[in-house]
Structure formats: structure tokens, C-alpha cells
Amino acid sequence: MRRNSSLFVSCTCVLFGQKHRGWGYSSHQKAGKSLASAILTSPGDPLLEVAKSILLILTALFPIVNPLGGSPVFFGLTREYPQTIRRVLARQVALNSFILLIASFLVGTYVLHFFGISIPVVQVGGGLIVISNGWNMLKSKEEVDRGPDVQKKVNPRDVFRSAFYPLTLPLTVGPGSISMAITLGANEPHHMGLNFLAILAAVIGSALVAISIYLCYGFADRLAAVIGESGMSIILRLSSFLLVCIGVQIFWNGARALLQSLPAGH
């Protein structure tokens, strides 16, 4: 029991000790694989192992997804929408995030292998998208008229077109969280019983992350009311700048891994 507890504490500490939002994940990929495999395959009480796996998933994914940090960005992109549509949109983003995390956990490795795509390539492409979205938000001008007249003109069909892109991917669930979910899924045990427990832990852990996304995004307007319009504008600009920096970091992590994979003569 003490051995399992010490193993879990050391594993979660190393995983959480990666770069805060997980964009530096590629340099620790081998360590993450062995640690996740050690936890998911360690013997013991099944319920205890599920609890350990859920805590591991939350520890690994929550700092990467960071719904608290994404709340001002979400509110900045949906500020002109009515509150009811914004809540429904937040619920849709949370549902999309849950599906994307589960899909990455279960079939992400097979899909990448089938198309011959490596995780560094995903990081390069995702980094470019994050940079583009962050730059557009950074240089966008705030509209003065965002009252009821503007909100009445909003078409719900047009609103939900952005629920997956860019609000879910890559602003909420980006390459870092997808890479971590794929790694955890690739190291799940192959025994039928333990495999079921690992999948159950992944479903519960991803559901908890999705709930946190809905709470932070759905009530972003209340957070904005507490902070104030000027404070929200400052946070939005800072978040946009950090988004550009994160995108550059994602791009560099993938590009560096690709450059290191080249033959020495090139």
C-alpha cells in the first residue's frame, strides 16, 4: 500500500512538473509513458486503481486545458451573444472537449499511425492555428455597441459553427492536451479487466474536466461583472498575447523535435 502510494505521488509530481500548460510535453514523452504505464498497470484494489488513474488524468489534463485561463478568451469571443446562447455554446464546447479527449485516449494513437502523422507534426500545425487566433484577438478592436439590438441579430446557427473550431480546438483542447491523452491511452494495459478500468477512469476524468470547462465558460459573464469591463479588457489582451506565445512554444516544440529527427549530415 505504501509502495503504491509513493509511486503515485512521484508519478503525479513529475507529470505536473512539466511546463505549466503542457506545451513542452514532447521532451518528457518517454517519462510520461513509463509513469502512466506504471500507474495503470500497478496491482491492487480495482477501485483504488481507478481513483489513482482519475487523479492522474486530472493532474495531467487540467493545467493544460486551463478553463480558468480560457474563460476571458471565451467571453471575449462571445461577448455579443445573449446569455442563454452563450450558456448553450459553453455546454457544446464542454461536450466537444469531452468527446475529443476520449477519442484521443481510445483511438488517437491508431489514427495518427494510420495516416503516418507524428505528434511533433500535430504540434507544428496546432501551434500555427493558435498563433493565428491569438494574433487576431490581440489586434481586434472592441465594438462599442453590443446591446440588445446587436444581440437580436445573432443567428444561433452561425454561433454554433464556431463551437468546435476555434472554441474547442485549439483554444480549449489543444495539441498539449491531445498529446497527453494519446500518451495515456497508448499505455493502457492490454488485459481485459484492467483495460475496462482504465477506460472507465478516462471517461470519469475527462467528464470532470468537461464540467470545469462548462462552469468556467458558462459563467464567464459573471466573472466579467466582478472584474469590470476595463479589467476584462486588460485580461483579454494579456490572454491574447499569452495565446500567441503559447502558439509559438507549441510550434517550436514540434519543429525542434522534427529537426532532431533529421539525419546528422543534414
Side-chain angles (χ1 to χ4, degrees), residues 126-141:
L128 292 175
I129 296 176
V130 172
I131 292 172
S132 176
N133 283 279
W135 180 254
N136 290 333
M137 292 174 54
L138 188 61
K139 65 178 184 178
S140 64
K141 296 181 180 180

Side-chain angles (χ1 to χ4, degrees), residues 3 36 45 66 70 79 83 89 105 107 113 119 125 155 164 167 209 211 245 254 258 260 263:
R3 182 180 179 182
D45 182 66
N66 191 14
R79 187 180 300 177
Q83 182 178 6
L89 184 59
F105 182 87
V107 299
H113 286 172
I119 290 181
N155 189 348
F164 184 79
L167 292 178
V209 174
I211 291 173
C245 296
L258 293 175
Q260 291 176 351

Side-chain angles (χ1 to χ4, degrees), residues 6-266:
S6 61
L7 173 64
F8 172 70
V9 171
S10 61
C11 293
T12 52
C13 287
V14 173
L15 279 176
F16 190 75
Q18 296 176 10
K19 293 187 177 182
H20 178 62
R21 287 182 61 89
W23 308 118
Y25 160 76
S26 58
S27 62
H28 301 280
Q29 184 175 3
K30 293 182 179 179
K33 287 183 177 181
S34 60
L35 293 172
S37 178
I39 289 183
L40 294 177
T41 57
S42 59
D45 182 66
L47 295 179
L48 180 61
E49 300 307 319
V50 170
K52 288 181 179 180
S53 298
I54 293 173
L55 186 57
L56 170 65
I57 293 171
L58 290 176
T59 304
L61 291 180
F62 189 83
I64 304 174
V65 177
N66 191 14
L68 289 174
S71 177
V73 178
F74 175 83
F75 183 73
L77 293 174
T78 62
R79 187 180 300 177
E80 71 272 18
Y81 301 157
Q83 182 178 6
T84 54
I85 292 183
R86 190 185 302 115
R87 295 277 174 86
V88 176
L89 184 59
R91 184 175 59 190
Q92 186 63 43
V93 171
L95 180 60
N96 291 341
S97 301
F98 172 77
I99 295 174
L100 192 56
L101 290 174
I102 290 298
S104 301
F105 182 87
L106 296 179
V107 299
T109 303
Y110 305 103
V111 171
L112 293 183
H113 286 172
F114 178 79
F115 289 101
I117 301 174
S118 62
I119 290 181
V121 173
V122 176
Q123 291 176 323
V124 170
L128 292 175
I129 296 176
V130 172
I131 292 172
S132 176
N133 283 279
W135 180 254
N136 290 333
M137 292 174 54
L138 188 61
K139 65 178 184 178
S140 64
K141 296 181 180 180
E142 294 186 6
E143 299 179 11
V144 178
D145 186 9
R146 293 184 181 270
D149 294 336
V150 175
Q151 294 181 357
K152 289 180 181 179
K153 299 178 182 179
V154 174
N155 189 348
R157 294 183 179 179
D158 296 333
V159 170
F160 295 117
R161 289 177 183 174
S162 61
F164 184 79
Y165 174 84
L167 292 178
T168 301
L169 180 72
L171 294 182
T172 302
V173 177
S177 53
I178 290 177
S179 301
M180 180 60 69
I182 290 176
T183 300
L184 294 175
N187 290 276
E188 65 183 25
H190 298 286
H191 303 292
M192 198 65 181
L194 291 177
N195 188 35
F196 171 75
L197 294 179
I199 294 175
L200 177 63
V203 170
I204 297 176
S206 300
L208 293 177
V209 174
I211 291 173
S212 67
I213 292 173
Y214 172 72
L215 293 177
C216 294
Y217 286 10
F219 297 94
D221 54 338
R222 296 189 180 182
L223 178 63
V226 173
I227 298 177
E229 185 175 353
S230 59
M232 202 67 181
S233 177
I234 295 174
I235 293 177
L236 179 60
R237 298 299 177 183
L238 291 176
S239 300
S240 302
F241 175 72
L242 290 177
L243 203 61
V244 174
C245 296
I246 290 169
V248 173
Q249 184 65 56
I250 299 171
F251 175 83
W252 171 243
N253 289 337
R256 181 176 55 184
L258 293 175
L259 292 175
Q260 291 176 351
S261 65
L262 293 176
H266 291 73

